[in-house]
Amino acid sequence: MNDILLITISGEDHPGVTAGVTAILAVHGVNVLDIGQAVIHATLSMGMLIEVPAGCDKTTVVNEVEAQAAAQGMRARISPVGSAEYDAWVEAQGRARYIITLLARKITANQLARVTEVVSRHGLNIDSINRLSGRIPLGDLPALSKACVEFSVRGPLENSSAFRRDLLEVAGALDVDLAFQQDNMFRRNRRLVAFDMDSTLIEAEVIDELAARAGVGEQVSEITERAMRGELDFSESFRARVALLEGLGEEALAQIAGELRITEGAEHLIGTLRKLGYKTAILSGGFTYFARDLQQRLGIDYVHANELDIENGEVTGKVTGTIVDGERKAYLLRQLAEQEGLDLQQVIAVGDGANDLPMLSAAGLGIAFRAKPLVKKSAEQSISTLGLDAILYLLGFSDRYQQDH
């Protein structure tokens, strides 16, 4: 077997470091088995695993690389790799790979220590750690700051449920979000994102706003909370709440629509998804009156919600058509995926209530956003710390990538 060497070079980054080293290796006909390079605060760290061909003087290669590094003010370390060690490295490439995404307003050493301790305790190796969020200035944090670090880990995971549970315990203790996904072909190949509307795309439950205008706020709010906690059948409770709105003037709907606040990060998320060619949908247990308005404001492709019956300028207290409950949302999600020619693994669903769980389960990536405890516990992923655009981090898109697109 030919000689295998591991070359590590570090020092102040400047143009020509990699070119100088690889030019030497090229002269000697060296094969590059692996290579990696990163720059942190103007400091370069580069690693290369090389195979020195038979007939080539290994000592000469080492001396020339060390001299080149020294001439550029870099530190070089070159060490041999045994055949057994190399074979073990090759074999490890077939192991399962996972992505852990840490989301917070800022990143601390304690967060990293707690996450990496869980990774180590479960026997996984960290292949790489990347910061996806932009650089943070010194001093006070900007309003609504975002911070994200992505860990690529590898190894046999004997108990994924226990691993996920341990990550959730860390997330709860530190008030951060930790997402755990398998690193597979679908991660960056999602093509459709379906959103709940109330308390997801907008920071309100519209039916509660309508009830307040109608003077039945307390009655409706109580029914809403019980339904979203999963204590009541959604369709039955929905009809009961709508019935209380009878007689409300249509002008109140227009006023409420104009006052609704879009959730943090929603505009950035949907604008970026649109540029990247994703399709988006609202699948809501709310009302089409407000969903259509939101569709125009955000550029949503599809809308499915409940049709509030209005006659002579007043709400009748009834809804027309099929009520969009939890099962209906899941059905519509599958229907849209089929219409777009997509596998369900290519679909993302986002919601906050118990009636969102069926579509979160049906989607390849289900995300509970600022959700009720039952939903957060049941969903595959959850985001509570940052805005909706944190979903882009779960897809592996850095701030720099988003800016470029």
Side-chain angles (χ1 to χ4, degrees):
M1 184 176 180
N2 296 337
D3 290 316
I4 297 176
L5 301 175
L6 177 62
I7 302 172
T8 55
I9 295 175
S10 62
E12 184 177 349
D13 185 38
H14 57 270
V17 175
T18 306
V21 172
T22 54
I24 292 171
L25 300 178
V27 169
H28 293 283
V30 164
N31 294 321
V32 178
L33 304 174
D34 196 13
I35 184 170
Q37 180 173 309
V39 177
I40 299 179
H41 193 59
T43 298
L44 169 71
S45 296
M46 181 176 68
M48 299 180 69
L49 189 66
I50 67 168
E51 180 187 28
V52 181
C56 178
D57 184 3
K58 177 179 66 175
T59 302
T60 299
V61 174
V62 170
N63 291 339
E64 290 184 10
V65 170
E66 289 178 339
Q68 173 69 19
Q72 298 201 35
M74 310 294 287
R75 295 177 295 278
R77 178 184 176 188
I78 304 176
S79 55
V81 175
S83 58
E85 183 182 355
Y86 178 77
D87 289 342
W89 174 76
V90 172
E91 183 181 353
Q93 291 187 113
R95 293 179 181 175
R97 294 178 179 273
Y98 306 94
I99 296 293
I100 301 169
T101 310
L102 168 62
L103 303 169
R105 292 298 179 183
K106 64 178 180 180
I107 301 298
T108 69
N110 187 38
Q111 295 165 0
L112 299 179
R114 294 287 297 275
V115 172
T116 53
E117 188 278 328
V118 173
V119 172
S120 175
R121 178 153 37 92
H122 284 268
L124 299 176
N125 293 324
I126 299 175
D127 282 342
S128 64
I129 303 175
N130 296 304
R131 173 178 54 84
L132 299 186
S133 51
R135 297 172 181 174
I136 298 176
L138 293 176
D140 295 335
L141 288 174
L144 303 179
S145 64
K146 299 184 295 182
C148 174
V149 170
E150 178 185 274
F151 303 81
S152 176
V153 302
R154 168 178 45 83
L157 187 57
E158 295 182 0
N159 191 333
S160 60
S161 297
F163 183 70
R164 191 183 296 273
R165 182 180 64 245
D166 289 349
L167 286 178
L168 288 176
E169 287 180 2
V170 170
L174 300 181
D175 194 24
V176 301
D177 293 317
L178 286 169
F180 172 61
Q181 309 174 63
Q182 192 164 9
D183 192 6
N184 58 32
M185 63 178 288
F186 290 110
R187 182 170 179 244
R188 289 202 185 207
N189 194 32
R190 319 283 187 187
R191 307 311 305 161
L192 169 66
V193 187
F195 298 92
D196 175 44
M197 180 174 66
D198 295 42
S199 296
T200 299
L201 281 178
I202 56 175
E203 296 181 346
E205 290 288 333
V206 169
I207 196 167
D208 290 344
E209 300 295 322
L210 293 171
R213 298 293 178 98
V216 292
E218 290 187 8
Q219 300 97 302
V220 168
S221 182
E222 180 183 353
I223 299 173
T224 298
E225 284 300 314
R226 293 181 64 192
M228 297 305 283
R229 289 196 302 265
E231 298 174 3
L232 295 174
D233 172 75
F234 179 84
S235 295
E236 182 180 356
S237 65
F238 183 73
R239 292 186 188 280
R241 286 175 286 174
V242 173
L244 292 171
L245 302 178
E246 183 180 0
L248 181 65
E250 189 174 3
E251 68 279 0
L253 277 66
Q255 292 172 358
I256 291 171
E259 296 170 359
L260 291 175
R261 292 180 56 185
I262 294 176
T263 299
E264 175 195 351
E267 291 172 292
H268 176 222
L269 169 63
I270 293 173
T272 303
L273 292 174
R274 188 166 57 247
K275 290 179 182 177
L276 295 173
Y278 284 65
K279 295 291 186 179
T280 54
I282 293 175
L283 303 182
S284 173
F287 302 110
T288 54
Y289 184 98
F290 302 94
R292 294 292 183 194
D293 180 73
L294 200 58
Q295 180 183 31
Q296 294 298 317
R297 293 167 66 182
L298 295 177
I300 301 287
D301 295 294
Y302 302 105
V303 165
H304 292 279
N306 296 300
E307 197 67 45
L308 188 61
D309 189 46
I310 300 173
E311 291 183 3
N312 301 320
E314 292 185 348
V315 174
T316 66
K318 300 177 182 178
V319 289
T320 59
T322 304
I323 289 180
V324 180
D325 59 7
E327 294 305 320
R328 179 69 176 171
K329 287 187 178 187
Y331 169 81
L332 291 168
L333 186 80
R334 295 186 180 95
Q335 187 179 64
L336 286 175
E338 183 177 353
Q339 180 178 329
E340 291 292 331
L342 301 175
D343 188 289
L344 279 172
Q345 285 295 321
Q346 296 177 275
V347 177
I348 301 171
V350 188
D352 74 298
N355 63 318
D356 295 313
L357 283 174
M359 76 169 182
L360 298 187
S361 299
L365 178 62
I367 302 171
F369 179 73
R370 298 181 182 177
K372 281 69 176 175
L374 170 66
V375 182
K376 188 173 181 179
K377 182 179 179 180
S378 302
E380 181 184 14
Q381 310 293 349
S382 67
I383 296 175
S384 300
T385 306
L386 303 182
L388 273 173
D389 52 352
I391 291 172
L392 295 168
Y393 293 143
L394 300 192
L395 302 180
F397 297 130
S398 66
D399 282 354
R400 179 181 298 179
Y401 181 91
Q402 296 170 41
Q403 291 166 3
D404 290 343
H405 290 74

